[in-house]
Amino acid sequence: MKAIKARNLSFSYNGADVLKGINLEVEEGEFLAILGPNGAGKSTLLKCISGILNCRGVEVFGKPIGEYSRNELARIIAYVPQRTEPGFMTVFDTVLLGRRPYMGLRPSKKDLEAVKRALERMGIAGFALKITNKLSGGELQKVGIARALAQEPKILMMDEPTNNLDIRSQLEVMRLAREFSAEGGTVIMVMHDVNLALRFAGRFVFMKNGKIVADGGREILKPSIFREVYGVDVIIEEVRGIPLVVPV
C-alpha cells in the first residue's frame, strides 16, 4: 500500500520556487533516502509530505493529508528535525511529549512503557532524568529520535538524523531505521552522507534545484548521477557487497 503519495507537488517561499512538480510514491515498509546538495529542496519536501508545511497533492495511506486532524496525523507520522532544541525538561519528559496524540490528562501505563522502550532502544535510559540543556548535540539528537519512536508511528521521517553523532551512534541510528522498515514501518530520511545512505537504505531519490533527478534502488548508482547532482566525478566500488562512492 502507498504510505505516501505526492502528485505534482510544488512549494514556494516568498515567491521563490523550492519544489517544482514533484511526483513521489513511497510504499509501506520502504526505507527511502533523499539525497542531494544543499538547497536542493530535500528538507522542504520532507516537511511537505509530513504535514508540517501546508501543501496540496499529498496523500497519506490514500487519504489527502489535509483531511487528517493534527492528532490523527501524529499517530501515523513522526518527524525528527535536523536539531532537537534543548530546554529545562528532563529527557524522560521530553520523550513523553511523543505520547501527546494518545494521552489524556495523565500518562497511562502504556504511555510510560512506550517512553521506556524508546529510551532503551536509543541507549539513553541512563540519563532519563537529566535536563536536556545539559546534553551534548549528539545526545539531544538521540532524544529527538526517541521522542519520535515513542509516538509509535507508521511512518518515520528524519531530517539528517546522523548529524552530530559519532560513528557508532550513526550506525545505531541507521540500523534502527532499517529495523523499523523491516518490521513494516516506512522510513523517509534526508541525508548528506551518501555512503551511509547507500549502506542501509533500499531506495534513493536524488534531488537538485527542487526537482527529482533520479529515483530507484542501487541500480541507479552511476557516476553520471553524482556528476549531474553534485558536480563531482566519482568512482563506485563495492566493499563486501556494499557500494562505496569515492570522489576523484
Side-chain angles (χ1 to χ4, degrees):
M1 184 177 183
K2 301 287 187 299
I4 294 288
K5 187 173 184 179
R7 286 183 287 188
N8 198 29
L9 174 62
S10 297
F11 192 82
S12 300
Y13 283 117
N14 299 320
D17 293 335
V18 180
L19 299 178
K20 307 166 187 175
I22 297 288
N23 291 295
L24 178 67
E25 295 184 1
V26 186
E27 298 286 344
E28 191 172 9
E30 274 196 300
F31 184 171
L32 168 66
I34 303 176
L35 303 164
N38 292 329
K42 305 183 300 296
S43 295
T44 301
L45 175 59
L46 201 67
K47 289 178 180 178
C48 284
I49 62 177
S50 66
I52 292 174
L53 294 176
N54 186 19
C55 305
R56 294 181 179 179
V58 178
E59 293 181 1
V60 178
F61 289 111
K63 179 178 175 180
I65 197 168
E67 293 183 9
Y68 287 95
S69 69
R70 300 307 302 179
N71 230 36
E72 289 172 335
L73 201 59
R75 294 186 181 199
I76 298 172
I77 298 174
Y79 171 84
V80 181
Q82 290 182 15
R83 175 177 166 79
T84 298
E85 295 298 328
F88 297 97
M89 297 175 67
T90 65
V91 169
F92 188 94
D93 287 340
T94 302
V95 175
L96 183 61
L97 291 175
R99 299 299 299 172
R100 283 190 298 182
Y102 307 93
M103 279 172 38
L105 294 176
R106 294 175 178 270
S108 67
K109 182 180 178 181
K110 185 177 180 181
D111 294 324
L112 298 177
E113 287 174 348
V115 172
K116 183 180 177 182
R117 284 195 303 272
L119 291 170
E120 290 175 347
R121 198 165 185 182
M122 291 307 302
I124 56 175
F127 51 87
L129 299 182
K130 198 169 183 179
I131 304 300
T132 56
N133 63 11
K134 303 296 183 182
L135 302 180
S136 68
E139 289 170 337
L140 270 172
Q141 192 74 349
K142 289 184 176 182
V143 171
I145 297 170
R147 181 172 58 195
L149 293 176
Q151 281 180 239
E152 298 182 323
K154 295 179 180 178
I155 305 172
L156 181 59
M157 299 193 187
M158 296 191 276
D159 194 351
E160 300 182 32
T162 56
N163 279 4
N164 302 314
L165 298 182
D166 57 51
I167 294 175
R168 178 176 176 176
S169 295
Q170 288 178 358
L171 294 174
E172 288 173 351
V173 168
M174 296 303 289
R175 286 180 183 132
L176 181 148
R178 186 167 61 186
E179 288 169 6
F180 185 89
S181 174
E183 293 165 1
T186 303
V187 178
I188 305 175
M189 186 182 294
V190 167
M191 296 194 70
H192 276 302
D193 191 326
V194 172
N195 286 316
L196 201 56
L198 300 189
R199 179 171 178 177
F200 288 94
R203 179 180 164 198
F204 314 96
V205 162
F206 287 86
M207 293 185 66
K208 184 179 181 182
N209 297 329
K211 297 180 180 180
I212 292 177
V213 175
D215 179 0
R218 288 185 178 179
E219 74 281 353
I220 70 168
L221 302 177
K222 310 291 184 185
S224 58
I225 290 293
F226 293 89
R227 192 178 305 114
E228 179 180 359
V229 173
Y230 295 99
V232 296
D233 291 317
V234 304
I235 56 173
I236 303 174
E237 300 284 355
E238 280 205 2
V239 178
R240 297 185 179 181
I242 300 169
L244 181 67
V245 177
V246 182
V248 294

